[in-house]
């Protein structure tokens, strides 16, 4: 099987090349271009393409891939909301993903964002670099004996629950499905109660029609004053304009974002020499209690190794005609 790997970064190549030693029937070629309708034609002569969370795997892209006789799209991520699944099915293109690579990596990053925004570590770092050792503007609050509200208790959300428990926090959660492995210390509550009772709210749910803009001005008004909000899941879970309004209302003690609605053009790119016009990102960064990272929650050595291994196992299963729990 020949796979064209889109949107290649140096760390992608390293992790996949290491894993390829265990898959002698698979070859991978790499391109820096991301997958979209303009670049889909590059897949001529390949059997499969490998895409990522910010790739455009919509109807037009899939139509071109179908014309190039591509029969498999390998998503090297858990999310697939950027894939037109109906179009893929009609084109006879199988879509496979990596449902869980390192839940702890993302959960640990979520807690890091919560702690950093609470204690203003980004501000403290810059102050000390300028020989300003004053403590003004740096006060936070103890997480110990506070309430953590976890929205979504799949693998990543469950890992976040356990981390919060380790901090001595009371943990409440909201999810359509209850995770029985958390039954001994997590209380499932209605969403409104989670919003009103939580000191820290962390989002760990997929992006669906029902969760789109789950955090909006109405749900923000139900939160405690001085709450910390963290999002490491999908940017569109939060309506950005309403988040900005909530920040201006002094609703939040801190906001930590690894994902946000405007991120598509920014993810994993160096745009330091550009002037970003009409940038929501710049507006968010203008607030002293907001900390943004660039979709790096997954970015650990262990997670990259797991992504590569699972993606290549998916390709091997497809070549062998096997069904897989990783089919989308």
């Amino acid at each position: 099987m020949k796979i064209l790997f889109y949107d290649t970064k140096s760390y992608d190549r390293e992790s996949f090349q290491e894993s390829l030693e265990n898959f002698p029937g698979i070859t991978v070629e790499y391109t820096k271009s991301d997958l979209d309708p303009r670049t889909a034609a590059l897949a001529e002569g390949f059997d499969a393409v490998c895409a990522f969370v910010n790739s455009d795997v919509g109807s037009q892209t899939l139509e071109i891939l179908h014309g190039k006789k591509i029969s498999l799209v390998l998503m090297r991520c858990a999310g697939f909301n950027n894939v037109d699944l109906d179009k893929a099915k009609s084109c006879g293109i199988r879509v496979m993903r990596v449902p869980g690579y390192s839940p702890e990596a993302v959960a640990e990053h979520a807690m890091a964002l919560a702690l950093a925004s609470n204690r203003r570590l980004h501000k403290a770092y810059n102050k000390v670099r300028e020989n300003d050792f004053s403590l003004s503007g740096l006060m936070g609050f103890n997480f110990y004996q506070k309430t953590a509200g976890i929205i979504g208790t799949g693998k990543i959300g469950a890992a976040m629950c356990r981390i919060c428990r380790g901090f001595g926090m009371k943990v409440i959660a909201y999810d359509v499905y209850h995770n029985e492995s958390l039954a001994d210390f997590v209380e499932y509550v209605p969403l409104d109660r989670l919003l009103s009772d939580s000191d820290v709210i962390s989002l760990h749910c997929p992006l669906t029609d029902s969760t789109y803009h789950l955090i909006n001005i109405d749900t923000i008004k139900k939160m405690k004053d001085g709450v910390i909000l963290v999002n490491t899941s999908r940017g569109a879970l939060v309506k950005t304009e309403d988040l900005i309004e909530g920040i201006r209302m002094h609703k939040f003690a801190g906001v930590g974002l690894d994902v946000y609605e405007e991120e598509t053009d920014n993810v994993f790119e160096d745009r330091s020499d550009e002037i970003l016009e009409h940038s929501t990102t710049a507006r968010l960064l203008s607030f002293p209690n907001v900390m943004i990272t660039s979709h790096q929650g997954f970015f650990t050595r262990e997670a990259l190794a797991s992504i590569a291994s699972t993606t290549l196992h998916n390709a091997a299963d497809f070549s062998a005609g096997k069904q897989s729990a990783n089919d989308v």
Side-chain angles (χ1 to χ4, degrees), residues 11-264:
Y11 46 81
D12 293 319
R13 186 190 295 266
E14 290 170 8
S15 60
F16 270 78
Q17 285 301 116
E18 186 172 338
S19 288
L20 271 171
E21 297 175 2
N22 301 315
F23 298 89
I26 298 174
T27 60
V28 178
E29 292 187 23
Y30 302 90
T31 177
K32 292 183 178 180
S33 300
D34 202 356
L35 177 60
D36 60 31
R38 298 167 302 169
T39 61
L42 295 174
E44 178 87 49
F46 290 86
D47 304 300
V49 296
C50 185
F52 199 45
V53 66
N54 52 319
S55 303
D56 178 356
V57 199
S59 178
Q60 189 177 354
T61 299
L62 289 164
E63 188 69 44
I64 296 169
L65 292 176
H66 177 60
K68 300 301 179 183
K69 299 182 180 179
I70 295 297
S71 51
L72 174 64
V73 171
L74 294 161
M75 300 299 298
R76 57 184 188 275
C77 53
F80 51 90
N81 53 283
N82 55 330
V83 182
D84 188 331
L85 295 179
D86 291 335
K87 184 64 176 180
K89 184 176 181 180
S90 69
C91 290
I93 296 176
R94 189 168 167 184
V95 181
M96 304 178 78
R97 65 176 181 135
V98 183
Y101 29 93
S102 179
E104 291 75 20
V106 181
E108 288 171 11
H109 191 70
M111 179 52 82
L113 284 172
L115 291 167
S117 60
N118 176 39
R119 302 302 292 268
R120 305 287 195 272
L121 295 186
H122 52 303
K123 286 190 65 179
Y125 173 78
N126 287 323
K127 281 164 66 83
V128 171
R129 281 174 60 88
E130 296 176 0
N131 296 326
D132 178 357
F133 303 99
S134 67
L135 300 181
S136 58
L138 302 181
M139 185 177 289
F141 63 85
N142 289 4
F143 281 11
Y144 178 64
Q145 293 189 337
K146 297 299 193 300
T147 299
I150 311 302
I151 300 179
T153 54
K155 292 181 179 180
I156 297 173
M160 185 61 170
C161 288
R162 296 185 182 101
I163 290 172
C164 291
R165 184 193 191 191
F167 272 74
M169 304 181 79
K170 175 184 178 182
V171 185
I172 60 176
Y174 171 76
D175 199 323
V176 176
Y177 305 101
H178 293 192
N179 188 331
E180 296 303 323
S181 70
L182 307 173
D184 59 331
F185 70 96
V186 173
E187 178 186 2
Y188 281 91
V189 299
L191 179 60
D192 282 357
R193 183 182 157 196
L194 182 144
L195 295 170
S196 65
D197 289 4
S198 298
D199 300 289
V200 177
I201 296 174
S202 192
L203 306 179
H204 298 284
C205 49
L207 180 61
T208 64
D209 290 342
S210 62
T211 61
Y212 177 74
H213 285 174
L214 177 69
I215 303 302
N216 55 60
I217 196 60
D218 293 329
T219 51
I220 288 170
K221 287 179 178 178
K222 295 175 182 177
M223 297 178 188
K224 280 184 179 181
D225 290 341
V227 68
I228 289 177
L229 176 69
V230 175
N231 186 12
T232 54
S233 293
R234 292 290 177 266
L237 296 175
V238 179
K239 187 175 182 180
T240 307
E241 292 295 328
D242 289 5
L243 176 63
I244 290 171
E245 183 177 347
I247 294 169
R248 287 176 172 154
M249 291 163 49
H250 301 281
K251 176 61 72 171
F252 300 100
V255 175
L257 304 174
D258 192 44
V259 292
Y260 48 96
E261 287 188 291
E262 193 191 59
E263 71 173 342
T264 302

